[in-house]
Amino acid sequence: MEWKLFAHLREVAGGDTVTVDVDGEPTVGAALDALREEYPSLAAEVSEDGELVDHVRLLVDGEDPFAAGEGLATTVDESTELALFPPVSGG
């Protein structure tokens, strides 16, 4: 699975896209677990107590899986676009 990362998350992971192998059923949760396992420093930025922190946005094919899908249980495949956005502020 390929993840697109934005803002400081791409710096933490060392690139704006990263690829992870998903074991078992391919869901958003499994892809997120694989991402956290492969990039522990990134895990600290997006997770707390094993859960996605509230201020980080996760998109699946451009949509919020918590509003438009089944949350972390949303099924994905190799063509699914996964993205993580940290909070961004501007002036």
Side-chain angles (χ1 to χ4, degrees):
M1 294 277 143
E2 185 174 271
W3 283 92
K4 290 186 177 188
L5 306 172
F6 295 86
H8 78 281
L9 297 180
R10 68 176 149 215
E11 294 169 16
V12 172
D16 58 353
T17 61
V18 296
T19 303
V20 296
D21 292 323
V22 175
D23 294 329
E25 184 178 348
T27 64
V28 173
L32 184 59
D33 288 345
L35 180 70
R36 291 187 291 216
E37 186 176 311
E38 184 75 23
Y39 297 91
S41 59
L42 187 60
E45 297 289 329
V46 301
S47 300
E48 186 172 285
D49 297 328
E51 299 291 325
L52 186 67
V53 293
D54 289 338
H55 60 271
V56 170
R57 294 292 145 240
L58 187 155
L59 297 180
V60 177
D61 290 331
E63 295 188 15
D64 181 343
F66 299 98
E70 298 177 25
L72 295 177
T74 301
T75 304
V76 296
D77 61 35
E78 290 298 321
S79 67
T80 303
E81 181 180 274
L82 299 167
L84 284 177
F85 294 83
V88 179
S89 62

